[in-house]
Amino acid sequence: MPRTVWWLLLARAINRLGAFSLGFLTVLMTTDFGADPATAGLITAAFGVATIPSRLVGGVLADRFGRRRTIVTGLTACAVAQAGIAFAGSVALVAVFAVLLGLVFELYEPPSQAIIADTVRPARQAQAYSLFNTAMAVGGLGAGLIAAALGRWDLRWLFIVDAATCLACATLILAALPKDPHTPRRQATTTTSVASPRPSPAPATPPASAVWRDRSLLVLLLSGTLFALIAMQVIIAMPLALVARGLAAADAGLLTAVSAVVMVACQPLLPKPASLSHHTAMTLGYALLATGLAGYAVAADLPGHLAATVVLSGGELLMFGRSYALVAAIAPEHARARYLSVFGTSWGFATVLAPLCGTWLIERTGPAGLWGTLALTALLLAVAQPLVVRPLLDRPALTTTG
């Protein structure tokens, strides 16, 4: 892997150390400001909605103004918003800074993913994207410990620490990553000698709407949104499902820790990308995901949930990185960040939909109905990957990567 990728992985782990505060945003508003749960939930949902345009803007900025500039700008703005929440004196101010945080929260993602597409050869891009997920898992282990310690003292300190990690991550990126190249406009005005050939013009930047007209990208966006919805349900609905079965909500933290251990320990065991095509890996991953979710549906105690978590995490590990590699393969070189940003909105959609769907399913069908529905969805995705998704992705570039 290029050195740039390793710096990005380190920055991602540092940033993940502080990315625990959002889970306490609703609690902060209800305990420190006396907001009712409905108001707190509405503000949290507003944050989720704001992350959707944040991804899209991040892609445009990364392609037009540079990867490093966009990453540093986004992280610095996140630190300001987090500090604003920590020092806010009213629910109204918390709401303002929460929406501001959502608007800048995802600026980091498209340029960091585009850097991988720029610097890593196609055969290893899936592995690089998977390493990003592993870095998040490593940071998540530390984040849980920090949250457990500071959360018992003062919830506002969670947001202060989160702001500090954002600034630390921005500083690392600024110091370690190479400077962005000059914009095409500046390159075009560079003086050349008479004997030198005239430099070819930079590719014209297509309008943002052109990305949304790419059928292959929309197919990946649909399947990616369904996968993100499943993943967000495991995060958001798990505490409620555990309580409904007479277990402690805090056991969800133990399941998260086990998942992180599986992600880290099994990373070296992954097959080389060249030995397993993207579509085959994703089909197997969806099948393992469905098996793990079915395990949640029938589990009655903590050991059963732990066993299901191991299987589910194995499926996620097998899949992570493959979808991003497919998006990078279909994206024009000058629009990679925008393609990745559009695909990344799948997580924004899932963040908004997951709380609504999860609570409704638990209330109507109980934990077994929730996990059974998600298992069926994952199984359908496993069937659709080779029979529907792969035939629709008919671009020649994809044949070389799986």
Side-chain angles (χ1 to χ4, degrees):
M1 293 290 171
R3 186 191 309 178
T4 300
V5 173
W6 294 113
W7 283 118
L8 281 175
L9 291 172
L10 178 59
R12 172 59 65 94
I14 293 173
N15 193 34
R16 183 69 177 89
L17 278 174
F20 47 72
S21 60
L22 291 177
F24 296 88
L25 180 59
T26 303
V27 181
L28 176 69
M29 287 184 285
T30 56
T31 57
D32 285 29
F33 296 101
D36 59 90
T39 301
L42 184 62
I43 294 174
T44 305
F47 161 81
V49 172
T51 62
I52 297 175
S54 176
R55 281 258 186 178
L56 300 176
V57 172
V60 173
L61 291 178
D63 280 336
R64 293 185 177 179
F65 301 109
R67 318 301 200 208
R68 193 180 75 154
R69 295 187 192 100
T70 303
I71 292 174
V72 172
T73 300
L75 290 171
T76 304
C78 281
V80 172
Q82 294 277 14
I85 292 175
F87 294 104
S90 65
V91 174
L93 275 178
V94 172
V96 170
F97 282 112
V99 173
L100 173 62
L101 180 63
L103 291 173
V104 298
F105 192 74
E106 300 287 357
L107 293 181
Y108 173 95
E109 292 294 335
S112 61
Q113 293 164 359
I115 287 175
I116 290 181
D118 295 338
T119 60
V120 180
R121 64 181 187 270
R124 300 201 67 186
Q125 285 177 3
Q127 184 181 9
Y129 287 122
S130 181
L131 285 173
F132 256 49
N133 185 63
T134 303
M136 289 185 65
V138 172
L141 283 172
L145 298 176
I146 295 174
L150 293 180
R152 300 177 189 276
W153 180 26
D154 189 337
L155 292 178
R156 292 175 183 261
W157 275 101
L158 297 176
F159 295 89
I160 295 174
V161 172
D162 202 346
T165 59
C166 285
L167 290 178
C169 185
T171 302
L172 178 61
I173 293 294
L174 196 61
L177 263 62
K179 291 183 178 181
D180 293 313
H182 293 299
T183 61
R185 179 177 295 178
R186 290 180 183 175
Q187 290 177 344
T189 58
T190 302
T191 304
T192 57
S193 62
V194 176
S196 301
R198 187 186 182 110
S200 57
T205 301
S209 59
V211 178
W212 289 95
R213 292 196 296 267
D214 190 316
R215 184 186 65 178
S216 299
L217 178 61
L218 295 181
V219 169
L220 291 173
L221 176 60
L222 176 59
S223 61
T225 299
L226 292 175
F227 167 73
L229 186 58
I230 293 173
M232 290 302 299
Q233 292 286 14
V234 174
I235 296 173
I236 294 174
M238 181 60 76
L240 296 174
L242 290 174
V243 170
R245 282 182 163 159
L247 300 173
D251 288 340
L254 179 60
L255 298 180
T256 301
V258 169
S259 177
V261 171
V262 172
M263 292 283 187
V264 176
C266 294
Q267 181 73 40
L269 303 179
L270 285 176
K272 294 181 179 180
S275 65
L276 195 65
S277 73
H278 295 332
H279 294 285
T280 301
M282 293 182 71
T283 300
L284 294 175
Y286 282 132
L288 286 175
L289 200 66
T291 304
L293 292 166
Y296 285 148
V298 300
D301 52 17
L302 184 58
H305 283 83
L306 289 172
T309 298
V310 172
V311 177
L312 182 141
S313 300
E316 289 183 336
L317 181 62
L318 191 61
M319 293 173 54
F320 264 120
R322 299 285 184 164
S323 55
Y324 288 102
L326 287 174
V327 174
I330 68 173
E333 182 178 353
H334 56 281
R336 282 173 178 160
R338 271 167 292 167
Y339 268 67
L340 289 164
S341 69
V342 169
F343 179 73
T345 59
S346 57
W347 291 96
F349 296 140
T351 301
V352 176
L353 294 174
L356 303 176
C357 298
T359 53
W360 185 86
L361 281 170
I362 289 178
E363 183 180 356
R364 296 292 191 277
T365 66
L370 167 68
W371 302 125
T373 300
L374 295 177
L376 179 60
T377 303
L379 187 60
L380 291 175
L381 287 171
V383 174
Q385 190 69 36
L387 299 182
V388 179
V389 177
R390 182 166 190 166
L392 288 175
L393 299 182
D394 52 3
R395 293 193 175 186
L398 294 180
T399 60
T400 61
T401 55

